Amino acid sequence: MDYDIKDINLREKGKNRMAWAEQEMPVLRAIKKRFKKEKPLAGLRISACLHVTSETANLMDTLKVGGAELVICASNPLSTQDDIAATLVADYQISTYAIKGEDNKQYYKHLDAALAHNPIITMDDGADLVSMIHSSKKKFAVIGGTEETTTGVIRLRSMAEKGVLKFPVISVNDADTKYLFDNRYGTGQSTIDGIMRATNRLIAGSVFVVAGYGWCGRGVARRSAGLGASVVVTEIDPVKAIEAVMDGFRVLPMEEAASFGDFFVTLTGNTKVLRKEHFDQMKDGSIVCNSGHFNVEIDIPALEKISKQKRTVREFVDEYTLSDGRRINLLGEGRLINLASAEGHPAAVMDMSFANQALSAEYIAKEAANLENKVYPVPKIIDASIARLKLQAIGIEIDQLTNEQVKYLASWDMGT
Ligand code: NAI
């Protein structure tokens, strides 16, 4: 078995952390139990490009138990948990290509290694595997893929619209049981966790600027407010901006917020959201970071250009000193801060995200022949079944429609 990881001796720590996460993943556990009996992925080669975390390791285990022949590589150079990579290799015999802090060259070498597995199904977080397959001269036998995150889905939709997508992809991100919980509560909590671990700065009483009031931004805004920050939201979408106002946040252009923010977090999926004109106005000691998928939301080259000095002052904190002496602190090299300096989303939300991944892989295995080269949502029936399993697992019961209510909701002439 081939692999490229930091240190296999970290396996025990990884195994313990994986088991800790599994305790909070009852839906995935139930799927694993069924997969063990039914082997729906028997003999299918899957290449996964995901953040190598304790929750992902539980997904890998589930897919393997379901019969898949698996390899995994990192979907971000800073998100790998090296102990988890070690247990995947040593205890689960899953080829893993992921080292925390790998440079770009090694990152792409790892993607290449995952593709050398000649996948039948791809499992992406950010669409890097799919994009490499489409730009490669090699022929692949992929029947379908899954996509974990908003940015990946945007890339795939653009490929489908241009008619270049060569196989169907299931947009796991757009399942209700994914984005409503993972993006909002998962990114909300873990982004704050990442900022606190990297800086140990007090959030209460600070001005916290959140760029982007999408599912992730809503979570971060709400949680930073909960810690006592005064929150400013920046947006480009008028509807989201009104929502932020009515949720009780101050909405301003970044141009104005830049001069008085203490913390800046970007979660837009867009590029150069924080740039030179904003750095020019920031206070001495400002903290800037990103929790969107790619490290392009903060214009780091522009920051480097206007800085006379850069030094690492703490782990995950680079201090840039500008020519007038002001210091701007960039966290985690502008990469997903929740995975760079913290551990990513809590297992309880990844339980539902990865249940969607496992069931979408099974769906592709069964249905690929009937799908076109498009981006498909997770079938509603799968999404709803995950919600039901989650409720069951946490011991919550809900009401059921009476026959009369079913009839009433289906009618158009029963207004009185
Ligand atoms: P979304 O589409 O729900 O929200 C993005 C928001 O950013 C939209 O409201 C959009 O109008 C706004 N926006 C775009 N350009 C902007 C600009 N220049 N200034 C201010 N606002 C702007 O997307 P979602 O689901 O919130 O995801 C955001 C990013 O986070 C994506 O890159 C996604 O892949 C990533 N993500 C990261 C996670 C993590 O673990 N850190 C987890 C899930 C998603």
Side-chain angles (χ1 to χ4, degrees), residues 5 10-11 13-22 25 28 48-63 70 72-89 92 94-100 102 123 125 148 182 186 190 193 197 293 336-354 357:
I5 61 171
L10 299 171
R11 68 188 277 188
K13 182 177 173 205
K15 200 160 192 231
N16 286 337
R17 288 183 55 249
M18 191 176 154
W20 175 253
E22 194 198 20
M25 303 182 89
L28 198 63
C49 176
L50 299 170
H51 302 300
V52 179
T53 66
S54 53
E55 296 80 18
T56 306
N58 280 294
L59 170 64
M60 293 300 106
D61 182 30
T62 303
L63 299 175
L70 266 180
I72 178 165
C73 67
S75 60
N76 184 286
L78 266 190
S79 63
T80 298
Q81 296 169 1
D82 291 315
D83 54 341
I84 293 295
T87 190
L88 279 173
V89 170
Y92 295 87
I94 293 173
S95 285
T96 303
Y97 303 93
I99 298 175
K100 187 170 180 109
E102 60 195 23
M123 198 167 268
D125 186 326
E148 171 77 8
D182 170 316
S190 61
D193 184 17
R197 290 200 209 189
H293 188 77
L336 300 156
I337 192 59
N338 61 329
L339 283 142
S341 59
E343 293 171 67
H345 296 6
V349 289
M350 293 318 291
D351 186 27
M352 289 188 282
S353 306
F354 286 163
Q357 285 284 7

Side-chain angles (χ1 to χ4, degrees), residues 51 125-126 148-152 154 173 178-179 182-184 186-187 190-191 210-218 234-238 240 254 266-273 275 290-294 297 336-339 344-345:
H51 302 300
D125 186 326
E148 171 77 8
T149 198
T150 318
T151 284
I154 291 172
N173 181 70
K178 200 278 183 183
Y179 71 91
D182 170 316
N183 299 30
R184 183 166 40 177
T187 314
S190 61
T191 299
V210 178
Y213 203 65
W215 292 106
C216 295
R218 287 175 175 108
T234 72
E235 252 298 342
I236 45 103
D237 178 329
K240 303 277 178 56
M254 186 60 87
T266 53
L267 307 105
T268 69
N270 207 340
T271 188
K272 294 184 183 156
V273 177
R275 47 186 186 268
N290 167 54
S291 211
H293 188 77
F294 284 118
E297 303 210 15
L336 300 156
I337 192 59
N338 61 329
L339 283 142
H345 296 6

